[in-house]
Amino acid sequence: MMGEAQYVYPNVTETEQRGGLLDRWGPATALSCSVVEVPADRIKNRTEVERTGQEIGDFLTRSSIECLYRQDISLPADLRYSLHTDPAIPRVDRHGRRITPPLRWYDGAWAGEYTDMLLAVADRLGTPPYAIEIYPGDRKNTGSVLLRAMILLSGVFESAFGAAPLLLLVNRADQSISTGSQLRSFWTLLAATCPEIVDTAGVALNLRELHAAARGDLINDLEIIPAESLRGFHIRNGRELHEAAEIPWERVFVSIRALPREYLIKPDVYQRSRVESVIGFCRGMLHRAERELFPR
């Protein structure tokens, strides 16, 4: 039995940043997306600095969360959302300086503070998240460090809401887990040492980042990642990437279509006008892959 794709409506610039769930759910359902993405990073731009009085990289306080997020009422029963945490990318502070607040998952107190912040965001939104995406950061965040963070997140959310969210590690070419072999090692360690989260954890594979880390051998890297670890994908329409000719999309989507359980596909775009084209691209490629896997 093979899984089916569930589409995530990304955090596009036209949507109120942070904000609530319902203003995302409308356009998401129009495109048959079953999950919406909600940003859950730390203070990240000058607008948020001005609104909250905090600084770039600060954890959101309870009052900041109430300022930046809206609690909608009468949420649809089938609404699901994914919290997208800090990707550790450069930010511009109030003085115009570019800074990159580090991810310190290796610091237990820091990880606990981030977990508390995510829990407060979920409480403000009024319903628990379906998934949480985290990024590896620098080399201090080893595989075992990231697993401790995922166990912490899983336990805290299960205690608070009665169910653990899907916890997804997102690869980045410039961070500590970027290649297929590193993702394989991460999953092997998780499966061997963390059986309590093996069913609710995995990888959200950013194919553009894997392509950059693989230095042109994307398929080899993709094939060594355990299929059971792949629970999500970040995909930008191949026709819109200048490096798209180097990505063998047909082979990529055959691998995706053969996965054994449900997986998420998030269009890796930031403009509302581009979401539909990426979803259409993915659906078309998955249909072609299905015909290759199951010829009539």
Side-chain angles (χ1 to χ4, degrees):
M1 182 177 179
M2 286 185 286
E4 296 291 334
Q6 301 294 316
Y7 290 92
V8 180
Y9 190 81
N11 181 45
V12 295
T13 55
E14 294 90 343
T15 301
E16 180 187 359
Q17 294 305 290
R18 312 280 187 175
L21 293 172
L22 290 182
D23 54 357
R24 290 171 163 81
W25 190 241
T29 55
L31 295 176
S32 298
C33 294
S34 58
V35 181
V36 295
E37 180 184 41
V38 178
D41 36 8
R42 295 166 288 170
I43 297 292
K44 61 184 177 181
N45 56 43
R46 282 177 283 189
T47 298
E48 292 184 354
V49 168
E50 292 168 2
R51 292 184 65 185
T52 66
Q54 295 186 265
E55 297 295 337
I56 298 291
D58 285 354
F59 288 112
L60 275 64
T61 63
R62 179 73 66 168
S63 61
S64 294
I65 289 169
E66 292 177 356
C67 171
L68 297 175
Y69 291 91
R70 183 176 65 256
Q71 188 171 57
D72 296 318
I73 59 174
S74 302
L75 296 174
D78 59 344
L79 189 154
R80 299 190 296 179
Y81 72 94
S82 173
L83 290 176
H84 183 263
T85 63
D86 200 322
I89 59 176
R91 308 292 191 182
V92 179
D93 70 9
R94 68 168 75 199
H95 306 293
R97 298 173 301 197
R98 288 173 64 84
I99 58 174
T100 304
L103 298 177
R104 295 165 48 198
W105 297 114
Y106 57 87
D107 180 336
W110 186 96
E113 193 168 356
Y114 209 140
T115 299
D116 289 343
M117 187 192 86
L118 295 178
L119 192 63
V121 169
D123 183 61
R124 174 65 173 170
L125 292 173
T127 188
Y130 173 72
I132 299 175
E133 292 187 336
I134 68 171
Y135 286 81
D138 66 29
R139 279 182 279 181
K140 291 182 181 179
N141 297 314
T142 62
S144 58
V145 162
L146 293 165
L147 288 177
R148 286 200 301 270
M150 293 173 91
I151 290 170
L152 174 64
L153 283 164
S154 180
V156 167
F157 273 82
E158 186 165 18
S159 295
F161 296 109
L166 182 61
L167 296 168
L168 300 174
L169 181 71
V170 185
N171 59 299
R172 276 189 65 92
D174 58 350
Q175 295 187 10
S176 64
I177 296 183
S178 60
T179 66
S181 62
Q182 290 169 338
L183 288 164
R184 178 180 60 188
S185 296
F186 170 78
W187 180 256
T188 299
L189 182 63
L190 186 155
T193 63
C194 306
E196 65 271 37
I197 64 169
V198 74
D199 291 329
T200 55
V203 171
L205 190 65
N206 187 313
L207 284 155
R208 182 174 53 151
E209 295 290 331
L210 184 66
H211 173 65
R215 300 179 183 275
D217 200 2
L218 172 67
I219 293 301
N220 178 70
D221 266 37
L222 179 59
E223 288 180 346
I224 65 175
I225 302 170
E228 62 271 23
S229 73
L230 294 173
R231 306 294 299 271
F233 298 89
H234 294 187
I235 296 177
R236 188 176 298 188
N237 188 338
R239 291 185 292 270
E240 295 178 349
L241 283 176
H242 69 272
E243 69 267 32
E246 301 176 25
I247 298 180
W249 287 110
E250 291 80 5
R251 294 178 65 187
V252 167
F253 275 95
V254 166
S255 296
I256 294 174
R257 186 65 187 91
L259 291 175
R261 55 185 173 182
E262 179 183 284
Y263 48 89
L264 301 175
I265 292 181
K266 183 178 79 173
D268 187 21
V269 295
Y270 305 102
Q271 296 81 32
R272 179 177 295 178
S273 61
R274 298 174 66 189
V275 176
E276 185 173 8
S277 68
V278 179
I279 292 175
F281 170 75
C282 293
R283 285 180 173 148
M285 296 302 296
L286 286 170
H287 182 65
R288 290 173 61 177
E290 185 169 348
R291 287 186 300 181
E292 181 173 335
L293 289 166
F294 304 105
R296 294 184 179 181

